[in-house]
Amino acid sequence: MKKSILFASALFSTLSFAQTQDTVKVQNIETVTVDGKKKIIERKVDRLVYNVQNSMVSEGSSGTEVLANTPLLKVDEEQGLLAIAGKSGVSVMVNDRMLNLSGAELMNYLKNLRSENISKIEVITTPPAKYEAQGNSGIINIILKKNQNLGWSGYTNTYYQQSTYGGFGGALGLNYQNEKLKSSVKFRGYDSEKRSVENYKIIGESSSISRDDRRDMNDGLGMNVSLDYSLSEKANVGLIYDLAKGHSNMDINSVSRYFTNDVNTLNTDTNSKHRSTSTSQMLNLYYDQKLGEHKLSFGANYYGNLPETNVNFVTTDLSDQSDQIVRNLSSVDYKIYSGQGDLTLNFKNIQLETGLKYSQFSNNSDIGYFNFTNNNYVIDPKRSNLFNYDEKNYAAYISASKDFGEKWSAKFGLRYEYAETKGFSPTTQSSSENNYGKLFPTAYISYKANDNNQFSINYSRRINRPYFRALDPFRWYSNPNSYYAGNPSLQPSFNHNFEFNYIFKSKFNASLYYERSLANFDQITFIDGVSIVSTFHNYYNQDTYGLNLNYTDTFFKIWETNLSTSLSYSDTQITKYDAIARNGQSFYYSANNTFQLNKAKTFFFFANYWQSLPSKGGNNSTKNRYSVNAGIKMSLMEKALQMNLSVNDIFKTSGYRGSVYFKDNMQSFDNYWDARRLTFSVTYNFGNQKVKANNRNVNFEEKNRAQ
């Protein structure tokens, strides 16, 4: 499992796409003004806008299909990952509200989000000062349609998927709106299985060869309640509550061989059963007050998660057929609190935004390692641990934006964040503390030469703080010889981002970027005899130069195409651990095509293709990958009923193959994660379809680090 965690992240950074965990913020929604032909792509001063409602994918598509068609984005449903070109992470919001889901839960939510309810997708590659400076990540903001019509509406959606194993999921949503109250309740659920095969080699003085055959079994239920009440024409108050409960289970058979100086020293066969449950709750409270043309907002957020994991494994020494039986128990308690106040001042010639925010994180974990001895499980104190982590963040920001005539626009911001962190292990009586304050400037300048040509330049400085799992020093064993551990001494990394953007006729978009990142951290695997240890370290700096191109157009009124490519070159400077830099390029391209098959616009065919050529970056390299997807969409009953049938990864070619290089060893991977699948989905909309869900803007970015 640690291998897929490590290289799911490495895969996307190698593709120049930005890892998990483990998951965007935006300004007020604007009305899209269309002159002549409807615009699908627009460039704002600080973001790229994909107008879904003007695209063919607005009919009968899921949220994941819409995102896959959005410029600069890539979706990997099997790994539960979203990526923005040139970014190592991404945050997702719905109408400025942080989507507090990840992995399978996130993909299940997006599958049940219907394109008919999506107005546009905003891709923010350099987030403004209003938003958290955390992460070398961009922001995806999904803006849903709004309507003032009163009454009831609802939808129900269900889907079935078949890969090696079958799986299904669905959602039910109900919305009610009157003159003062906007409300919605949504229920979601899924039950899915998939097969993964991972081959892993370490070649050096100490070597190992292993093969994992894994069956993942995930299921979950969720509920979301949203209420917004107008106290007056200028004031409203509301809440959003989300409850999710799920299981993430795995059955793994792992066969490993160990060598020292090419001499076989040990052969093992491990059968393990992972059983994990999690219960998470998220609560957002808010109050908005209009002050003439100005606006004052207050918000309070809470997130809590209680994942518990039980792993039982039996490792057999194949030389003498002796067994070692072990149980690993994990209990973790995540809690995040935040409060903020934001003031927007709209003057005649300039808009000012300012605000304050306070966040508090806590993570208490209890990890136990038990050996089965004399028919009893006996705890091994040397392999067990307690760990408590606390973090406080204080932030203040100010930004100003202004239009200079019809051609020039500018936006500048400055954010200050001060962090206090403390980690303590009662087991070892060891502690670590880190207090620091940093400034994070942002700047945007846009020039519209004419109706066909627009240019912009962006800059931002950001910080990438380690997420909890990378800090927790507990040892998580996959067999008695291999374990994963966090590093409480891990430091944040910093990066500078520069972008030059050009858009032509709202069809062609080009983005040239440069990023300088310092003290980057990543997962590293060490081998000593038969002991294999994976942990995190700050060990490299990196310069990345990249170019992203996208072309979107419609031909003959029945064929819409979206062509994208991403080319980058990375120069890595290794600072620790004798890693060998693999400086070089990466190249990715995709072609998404949708065909309208009848005049009523109720029958569509789509065919998509993407490919990643062999690439280098950091201290790793990857081999060629590609995927072919196709399907049909059909609408009935005046588009109230939609049915989709699709096949993904038709030729079973999207697995990951690559290598990581050190002076004393090379580590190679050849993995496939069951991406070839057949999906059939049905969606039915009922009630007054002009009524949309309550879509309140809430910023709660901190939750992403709890993965």
Side-chain angles (χ1 to χ4, degrees):
M1 181 179 177
K2 58 179 171 48
K3 301 164 215 168
S4 34
I5 294 173
L6 167 61
F7 277 94
S9 173
L11 163 60
F12 279 97
S13 58
T14 306
L15 293 176
S16 282
F17 279 91
Q19 106 82 206
T20 233
Q21 243 155 258
D22 159 350
T23 119
V24 184
K25 313 112 206 190
V26 174
Q27 297 179 349
N28 292 334
I29 301 171
E30 308 149 341
T31 301
V32 177
T33 301
V34 180
D35 297 318
K37 191 173 182 179
K38 295 180 179 180
K39 295 179 180 179
I40 298 179
I41 306 297
E42 291 183 280
R43 168 63 68 175
K44 302 299 183 182
V45 67
D46 58 358
R47 67 202 64 192
L48 184 76
V49 180
Y50 175 54
N51 291 308
V52 179
Q53 59 189 356
N54 298 338
S55 168
M56 286 186 184
V57 298
S58 65
E59 299 288 342
S61 301
S62 67
T64 53
E65 291 170 331
V66 172
L67 290 170
N69 277 275
T70 302
L72 303 180
L73 301 187
K74 179 177 172 60
V75 180
D76 188 331
E77 291 188 31
E78 295 309 312
Q79 295 304 304
L81 295 173
L82 293 178
I84 296 180
K87 298 296 176 181
S88 59
V90 65
S91 300
V92 181
M93 298 186 81
V94 175
N95 282 13
D96 284 339
R97 176 177 63 85
M98 182 57 59
L99 191 58
N100 296 304
L101 301 171
S102 62
E105 273 281 351
L106 173 62
M107 287 301 147
N108 184 66
Y109 175 91
L110 294 174
K111 288 174 186 176
N112 291 302
L113 187 63
R114 305 310 305 165
S115 59
E116 290 80 7
N117 292 327
I118 300 175
S119 172
K120 53 188 174 181
I121 307 292
E122 298 186 330
V123 182
I124 311 172
T125 53
T126 53
K130 181 179 179 179
Y131 307 119
E132 297 293 318
Q134 162 63 24
N136 174 29
S137 60
I139 293 172
I140 300 171
N141 191 35
I142 304 171
I143 296 180
L144 303 181
K145 295 177 182 177
K146 286 191 173 183
N147 192 282
Q148 298 303 316
N149 288 39
L150 310 182
W152 290 91
S153 72
Y155 70 91
T156 181
N157 166 259
T158 186
Y159 66 86
Y160 176 80
Q161 288 186 343
Q162 181 66 54
S163 52
T164 302
Y165 310 106
F168 61 91
L172 171 67
L174 297 172
N175 308 308
Y176 174 74
Q177 181 174 310
N178 61 30
E179 293 181 355
K180 285 186 172 292
L181 178 67
K182 300 176 184 177
S183 62
S184 66
V185 59
K186 304 180 185 72
F187 301 93
R188 61 185 184 270
Y190 65 96
D191 190 335
S192 64
E193 297 186 28
K194 67 177 181 180
R195 179 173 181 253
S196 301
V197 178
E198 302 181 349
N199 295 284
Y200 178 43
K201 293 182 181 180
I202 301 179
I203 306 299
E205 181 177 333
S206 295
S207 304
S208 72
I209 301 174
S210 66
R211 174 186 170 89
D212 290 0
D213 198 326
R214 191 176 84 224
R215 181 172 182 172
D216 293 358
M217 299 159 285
N218 301 312
D219 64 80
L221 295 171
M223 178 187 70
N224 184 284
V225 177
S226 176
L227 299 172
D228 184 282
Y229 185 76
S230 296
L231 300 173
S232 67
E233 291 184 357
K234 296 185 177 181
N236 66 295
V237 63
L239 67 83
I240 300 170
Y241 175 72
D242 193 276
L243 173 66
K245 186 176 181 64
H247 300 87
S248 180
N249 302 328
M250 293 182 290
D251 289 345
I252 307 173
N253 174 255
S254 178
V255 178
S256 301
R257 293 186 292 164
Y258 302 87
F259 303 84
T260 300
N261 294 323
D262 296 327
V263 177
N264 186 202
T265 56
L266 178 66
N267 298 320
T268 63
D269 187 320
T270 299
N271 285 294
S272 59
K273 295 184 180 298
H274 296 238
R275 299 297 180 262
S276 179
T277 63
S278 66
T279 302
S280 66
Q281 298 184 79
M282 184 272 293
L283 176 65
N284 306 122
L285 303 173
Y286 60 86
Y287 172 78
D288 294 336
Q289 177 69 55
K290 292 182 180 179
L291 306 170
E293 297 296 321
H294 315 305
K295 183 179 179 181
L296 179 64
S297 300
F298 296 98
N301 307 303
Y302 165 78
Y303 172 78
N305 193 8
L306 297 169
E308 295 185 352
T309 304
N310 184 338
V311 179
N312 291 276
F313 59 84
V314 179
T315 297
T316 302
D317 186 335
L318 298 179
S319 63
D320 59 11
Q321 296 301 308
S322 60
D323 292 338
Q324 186 172 355
I325 303 175
V326 172
R327 174 172 292 171
N328 230 177
L329 300 179
S330 166
S331 177
V332 182
D333 184 1
Y334 295 123
K335 285 186 174 63
I336 304 175
Y337 304 89
S338 73
Q340 66 189 74
D342 300 284
L343 177 63
T344 302
L345 301 173
N346 294 299
F347 298 109
K348 183 177 180 180
N349 297 318
I350 192 170
Q351 183 186 72
L352 295 177
E353 293 179 301
T354 186
L356 300 171
K357 189 168 187 177
Y358 169 76
S359 304
Q360 181 176 338
F361 305 75
S362 68
N363 170 28
N364 301 316
S365 60
D366 182 356
I367 310 300
Y369 184 100
F370 299 83
N371 292 304
F372 190 71
T373 306
N374 297 324
N375 294 320
N376 289 304
Y377 283 101
V378 180
I379 192 167
D380 185 342
K382 294 181 179 180
R383 298 186 174 190
S384 302
N385 191 29
L386 300 172
F387 183 69
N388 302 322
Y389 177 80
D390 292 288
E391 178 180 318
K392 298 177 181 178
N393 288 320
Y394 309 84
Y397 75 90
I398 185 169
S399 69
S401 58
K402 178 178 173 57
D403 293 332
F404 298 89
E406 297 182 356
K407 293 183 178 294
W408 290 91
S409 299
K411 185 172 184 177
F412 299 93
L414 185 65
R415 186 180 184 91
Y416 177 77
E417 294 188 359
Y418 184 82
E420 299 175 349
T421 68
K422 182 178 181 180
F424 176 67
S425 173
T427 304
T428 62
Q429 291 297 303
S430 60
S431 63
S432 61
E433 296 187 25
N434 191 16
N435 301 328
Y436 54 91
K438 300 292 181 181
L439 287 170
F440 301 96
T442 56
Y444 313 85
I445 298 175
S446 175
Y447 173 66
K448 186 177 181 180
N450 50 49
D451 290 340
N452 293 332
N453 298 277
Q454 185 176 348
F455 305 84
S456 64
I457 298 176
N458 303 340
Y459 166 76
S460 69
R461 181 177 189 253
R462 297 184 65 79
I463 182 174
N464 190 19
R465 298 184 182 94
Y467 52 89
F468 294 156
R469 192 171 184 270
L471 293 165
D472 197 334
F474 74 83
R475 296 183 176 185
W476 189 251
Y477 285 82
S478 56
N479 64 50
N481 305 309
S482 302
Y483 68 84
Y484 160 92
N487 178 5
S489 299
L490 205 60
Q491 299 295 308
S493 63
F494 296 87
N495 57 78
H496 299 271
N497 301 276
F498 300 86
E499 287 185 4
F500 174 77
N501 302 295
Y502 169 68
I503 188 167
F504 175 70
K505 286 189 174 181
S506 299
K507 295 180 179 181
F508 174 74
N509 179 74
S511 177
L512 183 67
Y513 67 89
Y514 165 71
E515 177 191 310
R516 171 64 173 169
S517 55
L518 302 171
N520 291 288
F521 57 85
D522 208 338
Q523 192 171 338
I524 300 181
T525 299
F526 303 93
I527 183 170
D528 182 10
V530 297
S531 298
I532 300 176
V533 179
S534 295
T535 188
F536 282 84
H537 287 285
N538 301 88
Y539 72 95
Y540 70 97
N541 303 323
Q542 191 169 64
D543 296 283
T544 304
Y545 311 83
L547 175 65
N548 300 315
L549 303 175
N550 175 263
Y551 180 75
T552 300
D553 205 350
T554 302
F555 302 98
F556 315 114
K557 297 183 180 181
I558 62 169
W559 172 23
E560 181 177 296
T561 186
N562 186 307
L563 307 175
S564 295
T565 185
S566 176
L567 172 66
S568 69
Y569 178 86
S570 64
D571 181 3
T572 304
Q573 304 93 46
I574 303 297
T575 58
K576 295 176 68 176
Y577 299 110
D578 292 331
I580 299 176
R582 301 291 289 177
N583 298 329
Q585 76 293 328
S586 67
F587 183 73
Y588 169 90
Y589 67 94
S590 65
N592 294 337
N593 299 279
T594 303
F595 301 89
Q596 179 184 314
L597 301 182
N598 65 346
K599 291 183 178 180
K601 298 182 180 180
T602 58
F603 194 23
F604 295 88
F605 169 76
F606 68 88
N608 304 328
Y609 176 82
W610 64 261
Q611 183 173 16
S612 175
L613 299 180
S615 60
K616 297 178 181 178
N619 63 320
N620 64 77
S621 63
T622 61
K623 297 184 179 181
N624 181 67
R625 304 171 64 237
Y626 69 94
S627 180
V628 178
N629 313 314
I632 56 174
K633 307 172 187 179
M634 183 167 54
S635 299
L636 302 172
M637 300 171 60
E638 297 183 346
K639 299 184 179 181
L641 178 67
Q642 285 123 17
M643 295 184 290
N644 294 6
L645 179 66
S646 63
V647 182
N648 282 52
D649 195 18
I650 295 174
F651 301 107
K652 202 174 182 181
T653 51
S654 66
Y656 171 75
R657 294 179 297 156
S659 299
V660 182
Y661 297 86
F662 296 88
K663 289 184 178 179
D664 59 353
N665 70 76
M666 180 183 72
Q667 303 169 18
S668 299
F669 293 78
D670 185 355
N671 303 332
Y672 186 77
W673 295 300
D674 213 10
R676 182 166 65 178
R677 64 186 182 278
L678 175 71
T679 303
F680 177 69
S681 67
V682 178
T683 302
Y684 178 67
N685 300 291
F686 54 88
N688 183 357
Q689 290 309 302
K690 294 183 179 180
V691 178
K692 305 302 174 186
N694 171 33
N695 300 310
R696 158 69 175 133
N697 302 342
V698 173
N699 293 332
F700 193 21
E701 305 99 325
E702 297 83 3
K703 188 269 173 187
N704 294 309
R705 292 177 57 219
Q707 306 310 315

